[in-house]
Amino acid sequence: MFCSKCGRQVSEDESFCSSCGAPLKNNNAPAGQAQPVYTPQAPYQQGYMAYQPQVPALIHQLRGKIQTEAIVWIVIASIQVIIALVNIGIGSSINSSYYSDGEGTANIVLGLMVLIVAVANFIFAAKDFSFAKRIMSNPVGIIQKYQPVGGIVGMLIWNFLMGGLVGIIGSIFCFVTRNFVIVNQAGFQVLETQYIAEHGSQPIQGKL
């Protein structure tokens, strides 16, 4: 027999569902009486039942990848800050020379540009940590966040121009995380549909 609430198969001797705890009203039905079979009320429920064992693992794996990605961005941003300060220091030193005619200005401008990129990467890492925390209780918007590829490509180019090879590493981690989401898109979609069915369509707090 099946639980009428969650659809989990249970023993006829059980009084309560071992999965959701719902009382099993049909366990005392007279002998010979046909037991009602659980029939999903909507297509998403069939998909959810198929993916139910995988979904929690998918979310935990994704959270780990996002947190790793955020740490990588923090390391990259820290290196970029060092690069920026070195360039600003060199430029200031050159311009302070008696014989200088502003030759160090280019180094200062480059340093400031790299510093701006570093700050943006720190902010991106903070948003990653926030998103990783949020999906544990609200899995809505995962596919929406990772399906577009333009933002990752733009970040790769921007970081490469401002930070060289070190800027590419973070973008590679972004592509790895995105690939994980795309490969497991069906599972994340089922989880999102289930969440919306249970909690309704709720606005997502913060930018994805």
Side-chain angles (χ1 to χ4, degrees), residues 146-169:
Y146 287 100
Q147 197 166 48
V149 71
I152 301 178
V153 173
M155 181 176 295
L156 187 153
I157 296 173
W158 188 26
N159 275 277
F160 175 73
L161 294 176
M162 295 294 103
L165 294 177
V166 68
I168 298 179
I169 299 175

Side-chain angles (χ1 to χ4, degrees), residues 76-136:
I76 290 173
S78 300
I79 294 174
Q80 289 172 331
V81 167
I82 295 174
I83 294 174
L85 294 178
V86 169
N87 274 279
I88 293 173
I90 292 174
S92 300
S93 178
I94 294 175
N95 284 348
S96 64
S97 172
Y98 180 79
Y99 299 100
S100 172
D101 193 23
E103 293 89 347
T105 303
N107 292 83
I108 296 176
V109 171
L110 177 61
L112 291 175
M113 292 176 65
V114 174
L115 192 60
I116 292 173
V117 175
V119 172
N121 287 336
F122 277 124
I123 295 174
F124 184 81
K127 289 185 176 181
D128 263 356
F129 279 122
S130 177
F131 187 74
K133 179 180 179 180
R134 196 268 288 171
I135 62 174
M136 297 303 295

Side-chain angles (χ1 to χ4, degrees), residues 26-92:
N26 297 310
N27 64 311
N28 294 320
Q33 180 177 339
Q35 296 286 350
V37 178
Y38 173 78
T39 302
Q41 299 300 313
Y44 80 84
Q45 290 176 313
Q46 289 182 327
Y48 181 70
M49 291 304 298
Y51 277 97
Q52 196 171 20
Q54 304 177 32
V55 163
L58 285 178
I59 292 296
H60 282 287
Q61 290 179 53
L62 178 59
R63 181 183 64 167
K65 290 180 182 296
I66 296 174
Q67 290 175 335
T68 300
E69 179 184 305
I71 293 173
V72 169
W73 279 118
I74 290 176
V75 173
I76 290 173
S78 300
I79 294 174
Q80 289 172 331
V81 167
I82 295 174
I83 294 174
L85 294 178
V86 169
N87 274 279
I88 293 173
I90 292 174
S92 300

